[in-house]
Amino acid sequence: MKPAQVSRGNISILDFRETTSMDISELQKIDEVPLREVWEHEEQDFTPWLLENVDQLASLIGIEINDVNRETAVGDYTADLVGTEPTTDDPVVIENQFGSTDHDHLGKLLTYAAGIDARFVVWVAEGFRDEHRSVLDWLNTRDSSGARFFGVRPRIVSVGTDDAPLGFEFTVIVEPNDWERELRDPLSDREQGYREFFTALVDAYAEHRPSWNRLTPQPRSYLTFGAGISGISFGWVFHGETEFSVELYIDAGDADQNEVIFETFKEDRTTIESNLENDVVWEPLPDGRACRIKVPRSTPAPVEELTSHEQNELIDWGTDQMDAFRDVIEPRLTQL
């Protein structure tokens, strides 16, 4: 079997539910395929594939990961993948391995996390031993640096004959226990308001666009997802207390490159603005490396003070505006 056979997308029973005419007697058993049968080498083959699919891994755990690099030096060692969470610039480290978790990879994971002061630490393995799951759970409740630890299982399956396409999915095995963190460090009213608002927005947008990769909202003022190009993301963002926006955030890792991308969009400014009902704000962000294109809307109150009606109205606007924004922006992304 070759990696090229692997099909993108999560395994789903959606087609079966919608195809009432299917002969149930034709249903076939799913066979799980060891990673070693798809990729010969962990470092040379699987890590590059994981790099290409890092957006799906990031979406599953509810963050964005930009500027991802392979084999990043950490002291005398090299981490498999290292990137950044784009809005906060927090470091992200990913350690991947074939087979079940072991002490060697656990030690590497913690060494890399400490070496780059990672705030998001992701261990990707085919199986998680009970003792290693317990370590990650313990770190999520005890780590005083605020780092968040995830255990993620990659799964490859085949259906039917050997010639059938392969499918893959990521499954979260361990994730931060937010309830425990809230007991130790309670959320503010605003942080709670952000999480409740974006939880409702995620549900609304996922229902509106079923193919969208659902994200896990965090208690912060933004929710972003990949635009298909590393360093560029779509997002819903609260700016201050009375502004909510749909936006494109550009941070490809280099200020000059960001400016080139930004100016490329700006060359088509008249057409972009004519296709959107609301005013478009172009922000080169001279005090920072990134650039932003946003469609803002004022809010009647800070997020935690919105009435149910005001929140629903804002969610409806955000859902519709994101669709319109993507319809205008995405065709131009493919031309970059």
Side-chain angles (χ1 to χ4, degrees):
M1 299 179 183
K2 298 179 181 180
Q5 292 176 288
V6 180
S7 59
R8 292 180 65 89
N10 287 339
I11 299 163
S12 173
I13 61 173
L14 183 61
D15 291 340
F16 166 67
R17 290 178 175 173
E18 294 181 349
T19 310
T20 57
S21 61
M22 177 180 287
D23 184 353
I24 296 179
S25 65
E26 296 179 0
L27 292 177
Q28 299 185 51
K29 176 175 169 288
I30 290 177
D31 292 317
E32 189 159 350
V33 180
L35 299 188
R36 292 183 185 277
E37 293 187 16
V38 180
W39 296 278
E40 184 175 356
H41 297 287
E42 177 183 303
E43 179 181 328
Q44 300 173 17
D45 301 319
F46 180 58
T47 301
W49 176 87
L50 188 59
L51 174 61
E52 293 178 1
N53 291 272
V54 74
D55 285 346
Q56 292 204 32
L57 176 63
S59 175
L60 178 71
I61 63 178
I63 65 172
E64 288 288 312
I65 307 176
N66 286 351
D67 306 327
V68 185
N69 295 298
R70 287 183 57 201
E71 304 302 320
T72 300
V74 180
D76 294 333
Y77 300 93
T78 53
D80 288 335
L81 297 174
V82 171
T84 57
E85 198 283 330
T87 305
T88 62
D89 283 334
D90 284 338
V92 182
V93 64
I94 302 171
E95 174 71 6
N96 59 261
Q97 68 171 103
F98 287 162
S100 294
T101 53
D102 54 45
H103 289 343
D104 177 60
H105 282 85
L106 173 61
K108 291 178 180 178
L109 184 79
L110 298 179
T111 298
Y112 303 150
I116 65 171
D117 192 22
R119 288 297 179 268
F120 298 93
V121 184
V122 186
W123 194 357
V124 178
E126 287 180 271
F128 283 80
R129 299 182 185 279
D130 289 343
E131 58 268 31
H132 297 141
R133 292 179 61 175
S134 296
V135 169
L136 296 183
D137 285 334
W138 181 80
L139 287 168
N140 277 325
T141 58
R142 299 287 183 176
D143 185 72
S144 60
S145 70
R148 292 174 172 264
F149 292 82
F150 297 84
V152 178
R153 182 187 179 214
R155 182 169 176 248
I156 304 295
V157 300
S158 65
V159 181
T161 66
D162 291 338
D163 295 331
L166 299 179
F168 82 89
E169 67 175 354
F170 292 116
T171 303
V172 174
I173 305 300
V174 179
E175 61 185 351
N177 188 330
D178 283 332
W179 174 242
E180 291 292 337
R181 287 177 179 268
E182 288 174 31
L183 289 177
R184 187 187 66 198
D185 186 16
L187 297 179
S188 67
D189 289 344
R190 182 155 301 173
E191 288 172 329
Q192 185 66 28
Y194 286 142
R195 187 160 69 178
E196 290 176 357
F197 177 86
F198 283 122
T199 296
L201 177 58
V202 164
D203 290 341
Y205 198 66
E207 182 177 348
H208 179 71
R209 186 177 284 211
S211 62
W212 181 63
N213 287 323
R214 181 187 291 262
L215 301 175
T216 302
Q218 302 297 331
R220 55 196 181 197
S221 62
Y222 61 91
L223 183 71
T224 62
F225 59 94
I229 297 178
S230 179
I232 302 180
S233 59
F234 290 108
W236 293 279
V237 184
F238 284 96
H239 294 282
E241 295 190 341
T242 57
E243 180 184 291
F244 179 64
S245 71
V246 169
E247 63 184 53
L248 186 75
Y249 193 80
I250 303 168
D251 186 3
D254 178 82
D256 292 337
Q257 185 179 0
N258 293 338
E259 185 177 357
V260 169
I261 296 171
F262 182 74
E263 291 299 327
T264 299
F265 278 107
K266 207 168 182 180
E267 289 174 2
D268 208 10
R269 178 173 184 168
T270 301
T271 304
I272 291 174
E273 293 182 349
S274 67
N275 281 279
L276 294 170
E277 296 180 359
N278 299 279
D279 293 336
V280 181
V281 178
W282 302 78
E283 296 183 338
L285 303 178
D287 294 333
R289 185 178 65 184
C291 302
R292 178 190 292 126
I293 305 169
K294 69 178 182 179
V295 178
R297 167 179 170 153
S298 62
T299 64
V303 65
E304 72 275 15
E305 297 177 14
L306 294 174
T307 65
S308 296
H309 175 74
E310 291 167 342
Q311 176 172 296
N312 291 336
E313 188 178 61
L314 201 58
I315 288 172
D316 288 343
W317 180 86
T319 298
D320 293 339
Q321 191 61 52
M322 180 60 78
D323 265 356
F325 193 66
R326 291 178 67 181
D327 286 345
V328 172
I329 295 296
E330 285 179 336
R332 290 166 172 82
L333 285 171
T334 62
Q335 300 171 13
L336 292 177

